[in-house]
Amino acid sequence: MTQLDALVDTSVQSVLWIAQDRVEAGSLSDQFHLLFAADLRTALDTLRRNPVRAVLVNLPVPGCGGGELLRHIRREAPEAPVVVYEPRGAASGAAGYGDAFLHISEPMTAQELGDVLLNAITHQTPKRGEYLTFPVGSSSAIQEVVEVVQLVGNRRCTVLVTGETGTGKEVVARALHTASKRSGKFVAVNCAALPDNLLETELFGHTKGAFTGAVNARVGLFEQAHRGTILLDEIGDMPFPLQSKLLRVLQEREVQRIGSSVAIPVDVRVIAASNTNLVEAVAAGRFRRDLYYRLNVVALRMPTLRERVADIPDLSEYFLRKIAELESAQPKQLSAAALEALMGYSWPGNVRQLEHALEAAVALSGNRMLLEPGDFDFPREIATPGFGGLAALDVPESGINFEELIMGIERRLLERALQKSGGNKARAADMLRMKRTTLISKFKSLEAFA
């Protein structure tokens, strides 16, 4: 049977197994048509010559790290799910494998590996235009996020994800859902995007005739997320009266549709996200203290792109490939100068702004396959580095908020040092001639007043 015949026959699936040694395949040989490769060159050559349904990377592979190997595989087989099998690896090692279907760090039998591969092929193979939702990058900042996802992903506990706009809070929420292996679906709702009355209806549903215009009964998002995960984005903007109803759902694990007294049990994993300071909102009386503690069981802070500059090459490659597939084109590349420009920019809009900047550059570059710095339009007042602006400082007749100005300058210096150090806090502290603990303390104090 040829490889093509194997793909046509739905009972046989072609799988590329990349391993240092050709280990005993066991029951895998019965389940799949296995193609073996012992090194990167052989693996890429096999991918070029044979369509495969999945790739199993059995680490370690000599002379090639798992993250590097995965990037090369993605260029040749962008739609094949990749399972990284590292039976003697550490959980933190998965930080570089964000684009993989699964990273396994515990020993498995051949039968168990076969089940994982079959699941990857039949249920999770990315379709055209779909991308795996997991943080991309291998910086220490994003590695900490990945570690938390791996530790709590398969648990039921509520997670509060915080971070600036555009840092990828929904991405990590989807990663938590994927890691949980919950059978239900992932449901996301933006609490700031809906009017108060409509938000309550969306979350809890309503009965027929519950209010004017309710001509039919409606199933709420909590019911839709049964046995799955619900993301309550921008939770800080949820109306105060609605917060008490949400608290009851979290405590009782049941919902009541508007207009009904019947309690409906729901098995839902709740993830809340906010780009505002909820501690401040609690102190100001805008957010319930008991709800905050109920949501903040596990706190997960998404780092800014300024804190993970080292991830910009991987993120750029990922987005360029995504843009190319959506437009049915070949992915464009960044010149060395363009990549340097991207890594030197402050990115106030974070990862989302990077994606949009790349999309615009691809469109404006015409038929050229290599993107140059001139293809990117950065706001001058944000992009210009250095301290030239300090010379122009003055005290206007109306006065100035001295503390706010100094905190702004201090924040900028700390962020620039962290950016230039590639997210390494110790190196950033050395650049500023301070202790690492002092740098961390300053960041925390500035966040408290943000």
Side-chain angles (χ1 to χ4, degrees):
M1 178 181 288
T2 66
Q3 275 81 17
L4 184 58
D5 292 333
L7 288 174
V8 173
D9 183 351
T10 56
S11 65
V12 181
Q13 310 283 0
S14 293
V15 172
L16 173 60
W17 189 338
I18 306 173
Q20 180 177 359
D21 300 309
R22 184 165 175 156
V23 295
E24 178 58 42
S27 60
L28 277 180
S29 296
D30 299 328
Q31 293 178 266
F32 307 101
H33 177 73
L34 295 177
L35 304 168
F36 288 93
D39 53 48
L40 175 60
R41 187 172 66 178
T42 306
L44 297 181
D45 184 58
T46 303
L47 286 172
R48 293 186 193 105
R49 292 186 293 105
N50 302 274
V52 300
R53 299 299 301 277
V55 179
L56 175 61
V57 179
N58 198 158
L59 294 179
V61 175
C64 189
E68 178 189 358
L69 184 59
L70 187 59
R71 285 193 291 274
H72 285 290
I73 291 171
R74 277 288 170 236
R75 291 194 186 100
E76 299 298 331
E79 295 190 2
V82 179
V83 174
V84 178
Y85 181 47
E86 193 175 10
R88 292 174 297 280
S92 60
Y97 317 137
D99 209 15
F101 170 76
L102 188 65
H103 172 264
I104 303 169
S105 58
E106 298 293 334
M108 276 191 169
T109 64
Q111 179 62 49
E112 290 171 331
L113 279 176
D115 292 341
V116 170
L117 287 168
L118 190 60
N119 184 44
I121 291 170
T122 57
H123 298 294
Q124 296 293 338
T125 303
K127 298 181 177 63
R128 188 170 186 78
E130 293 183 358
Y131 285 79
L132 297 177
T133 50
F134 210 79
V136 174
S138 56
S139 66
S140 58
I142 205 65
Q143 180 175 317
E144 293 174 7
V145 172
V146 173
E147 287 176 350
V148 174
V149 170
Q150 292 176 329
L151 287 171
V152 306
N154 203 27
R155 299 184 179 276
R156 191 180 180 179
C157 56
T158 304
V159 179
L160 177 59
V161 185
T162 58
E164 291 183 9
T165 299
T167 50
K169 295 187 288 296
E170 183 169 341
V171 170
V172 82
R174 289 181 181 273
L176 285 163
H177 173 68
T178 301
S180 72
K181 300 179 178 65
R182 296 178 70 85
S183 60
K185 63 181 181 179
F186 177 88
V187 176
V189 57
N190 189 324
C191 299
L194 296 170
D196 297 2
N197 58 335
L198 185 55
L199 178 60
E200 183 176 4
T201 300
E202 286 291 311
L203 289 176
F204 307 127
H206 61 76
T207 60
K208 181 179 180 180
F211 49 84
T212 303
V215 294
N216 294 302
R218 180 183 178 85
V219 176
L221 294 177
F222 268 96
E223 288 182 71
Q224 294 179 36
H226 183 56
R227 295 200 177 96
T229 303
I230 188 168
L231 168 64
L232 302 175
D233 201 5
E234 305 302 346
I235 188 72
D237 292 318
M238 177 174 282
F240 199 84
L242 194 53
Q243 293 175 24
S244 59
K245 295 188 177 182
L246 173 60
L247 181 63
R248 185 179 183 280
V249 173
L250 294 174
Q251 291 172 336
E252 305 298 332
R253 298 290 174 177
E254 60 185 27
V255 297
Q256 283 184 328
R257 294 183 185 177
I258 298 173
S260 173
S261 59
V262 178
I264 303 172
V266 288
D267 174 16
V268 178
R269 205 270 182 84
V270 176
I271 300 174
S274 177
N275 63 0
T276 59
N277 191 322
L278 290 184
V279 174
E280 243 182 39
V282 169
R286 299 191 307 271
F287 201 83
R288 291 182 63 106
R289 185 180 301 272
D290 46 4
L291 177 58
Y292 172 74
Y293 289 128
R294 176 69 68 171
L295 294 172
N296 196 34
V297 177
V298 174
L300 199 164
R301 176 185 170 273
M302 289 301 294
T304 64
L305 192 51
R306 300 181 296 279
E307 297 172 76
R308 45 181 301 213
V309 177
D311 290 334
I312 288 179
D314 284 344
L315 285 164
S316 299
E317 181 182 333
Y318 173 85
F319 288 133
L320 288 172
R321 178 162 45 81
K322 175 181 175 181
I323 293 165
E325 182 171 339
L326 291 172
E327 297 184 354
S328 300
Q330 285 293 109
K332 296 192 176 186
Q333 305 291 322
L334 290 168
S335 69
L339 182 58
E340 183 179 356
L342 295 185
M343 296 184 73
Y345 182 57
S346 59
W347 298 111
N350 295 294
V351 177
R352 186 182 300 151
Q353 185 189 7
L354 172 63
E355 180 179 10
H356 293 166
L358 288 165
E359 188 174 2
V362 168
L364 296 173
S365 59
N367 294 325
R368 283 187 291 106
M369 296 304 294
L370 195 64
L371 300 179
E372 300 292 349
D375 295 320
F376 296 89
D377 183 21
F378 300 132
R380 181 176 298 176
E381 66 275 11
I382 299 176
T384 303
F387 308 97
L390 291 178
L393 283 179
D394 197 1
V395 180
E397 294 296 326
S398 58
I400 193 170
N401 189 323
F402 179 82
E403 294 293 335
E404 186 175 295
L405 175 64
I406 296 302
M407 281 198 297
I409 294 172
E410 188 173 8
R411 183 191 301 278
R412 176 64 174 162
L413 286 172
L414 292 170
E415 289 174 346
R416 288 291 290 171
L418 200 61
Q419 175 185 343
K420 289 190 173 183
S421 68
N424 187 307
K425 294 184 177 67
R427 283 176 55 199
D430 288 341
M431 292 171 67
L432 296 171
R433 306 292 191 270
M434 66 174 62
K435 294 181 180 179
R436 181 177 181 275
T437 52
T438 304
L439 180 137
I440 294 173
S441 175
K442 284 183 174 295
F443 262 121
K444 288 181 177 178
S445 64
L446 287 171
E447 287 175 0
F449 290 96

